[in-house]
Amino acid sequence: MIQELLDKAVNTHQLKHGELLTLLQTEDSAPLLAAADSVRRQYVGDEVHLRALIEFSNHCRNNCCYCGIRRANRKAVRYRLKPVEIINLGQQAAAMGFKTVVLQSGDDAWFDVPRLTYIISALKKLDLAVTLSIGEKSREEYQAYREAGAARYLLRIETTDSDLYHRLDPGMSWENRRRCLQDLKELGYEVGSGIMVGLPGQSLSSIADDILFFQECDLDMCGIGPFIPHPDTPLADYPGRAFDLSLKVMALARLLLPDINIPATTAMETLNPEGRIIALQSGANVVMPNVTSPECRRFYELYPDKAGVGETAENSRDSIAGKIRAIGRSIGRSAGSHKSKKS
Ligand code: SAH
């Protein structure tokens, strides 16, 4: 029964809600993870694309109940890099051989259109592909960043259960987040979304809906990570930390969207010292080493004990690159765009 479902997924890349649910409920995940690994090899090959992650501000106007940098967390030490510092980090990343930078922050209005377009244009001059992960903006803002040269955007839907979303993200609207993903797609971005796994009140049935949503959105990238409770948030006492289930969800995303880019997330590494390597062998093909300066990266604390906090940019890159080669994979030499988008 399980093998039949997996054969169907490997051959057709289609599964119904009930079939996804069966696979999510199956205890022995090894056949699923192996199927995702083989689809990954067939569609995107053995290259692992590295993206330099710059966490440039932890100021945030939102109050997401799971997130350590939520507005109401008075204990969070806030920082904001200057545009020139961000560009310098981009320069270092380019010198280290990265082809892509990912700019991530809280939802911080200080970074407005003039400031961000200046930064994006400067990074483009360094021949870097620019990915933004800066939250919900108006269509006009997204358009300005696209015109300045940003090519990709990451915005997780977090959950497709809109009731759960509204409970966990007070003051925000699920429909607006959906609207953002739609605008980004229409503006020609490569669009990444994804979810957290193991949120309080999240059912397996809702996770099956999430996976079908990824397919419906025709995503180019999909990031999946376990929810890890942060002590200074309203969800401090919830268990979370669902490593095995996160892997399964990621593997199912690979089966249904065979040629997209899927990162092995830092949250997975945080729960298991080999988490990213395990993820790379279960469907993932991207890693995002952190190049933020060590003084700041510890304050970008979405969840506690984040992997790699004590490392420098070089450590972050070298330790993962060595492990990638040790499992017989290679480091991508190109910008690593979504395959079907290559001209
Ligand atoms: N402001 C941006 C970036 C958010 S941080 C945005 O809104 O998109 C990036 C991601 O970290 C979030 O989308 C969320 O999925 C994840 N995250 C936040 N808190 C977390 C936690 N406690 N455990 C695991 N992942 C978390």
Side-chain angles (χ1 to χ4, degrees), residues 231-268:
D232 304 319
T233 63
L235 302 184
D237 296 331
Y238 284 89
R241 308 176 79 86
F243 181 80
D244 293 335
L245 183 58
S246 300
L247 270 185
K248 285 199 228 174
V249 177
M250 196 196 71
L252 287 167
R254 171 58 73 199
L255 293 179
L256 264 54
L257 296 104
D259 69 357
I260 66 168
N261 283 320
I262 298 184
T265 55
T266 310
M268 295 220 189

Side-chain angles (χ1 to χ4, degrees), residues 7-8 41 56-57 59 66-68 80 84 95 98 126 145-146 161 170 176 192 203 222 224 226 252 258 266 337 342:
D7 290 345
K8 177 183 172 195
R41 182 174 309 118
F56 66 92
S57 164
H59 288 261
Y66 42 81
C67 185
R80 180 181 279 142
V84 61
F98 285 101
L126 300 168
Y145 304 146
R146 181 82 190 93
D161 175 342
N176 191 50
S203 64
C222 187
I224 286 147
L252 287 167
T266 310
S337 302
K342 274 184 191 157

Side-chain angles (χ1 to χ4, degrees), residues 33-166:
L33 305 185
D37 194 42
S38 81
V39 166
R40 183 272 308 154
R41 182 174 309 118
Q42 185 190 343
Y43 279 84
V44 295
D46 278 336
E47 283 193 341
V48 176
H49 300 292
L50 300 185
R51 325 292 198 197
L53 176 64
I54 303 177
E55 296 161 337
F56 66 92
S57 164
N58 70 353
H59 288 261
C60 193
R61 65 181 167 143
N62 293 327
N63 224 1
C64 308
C65 293
Y66 42 81
C67 185
I69 65 169
R70 66 200 303 268
R71 184 183 70 226
N73 182 10
R74 300 260 175 267
K75 289 196 187 160
V77 178
R78 304 286 169 178
Y79 73 93
R80 180 181 279 142
L81 298 189
K82 297 191 180 72
V84 61
E85 292 173 316
I86 300 171
I87 296 163
N88 284 343
L89 287 174
Q91 239 153 12
Q92 282 172 32
M96 287 172 68
F98 285 101
K99 308 290 180 219
T100 301
V101 281
V102 179
L103 301 185
Q104 193 178 86
S105 67
D107 210 325
D108 180 3
W110 189 87
F111 285 95
D112 55 8
V113 170
R115 288 179 173 129
L116 269 170
T117 50
Y118 168 76
I119 295 164
I120 295 164
S121 316
L123 293 171
K124 285 304 297 169
K125 288 196 191 108
L126 300 168
D127 213 19
L128 288 164
V130 177
T131 304
L132 300 178
S133 178
I134 58 175
E136 298 178 19
K137 308 285 173 192
S138 67
R139 186 185 174 100
E140 291 68 34
E141 279 175 272
Y142 287 148
Q143 181 164 5
Y145 304 146
R146 181 82 190 93
E147 285 167 5
R152 308 177 191 156
Y153 205 103
L154 307 178
L155 185 78
R156 289 188 180 172
I157 194 75
E158 315 296 3
T159 171
T160 54
D161 175 342
S162 63
D163 289 341
L164 178 61
Y165 182 90
H166 290 123

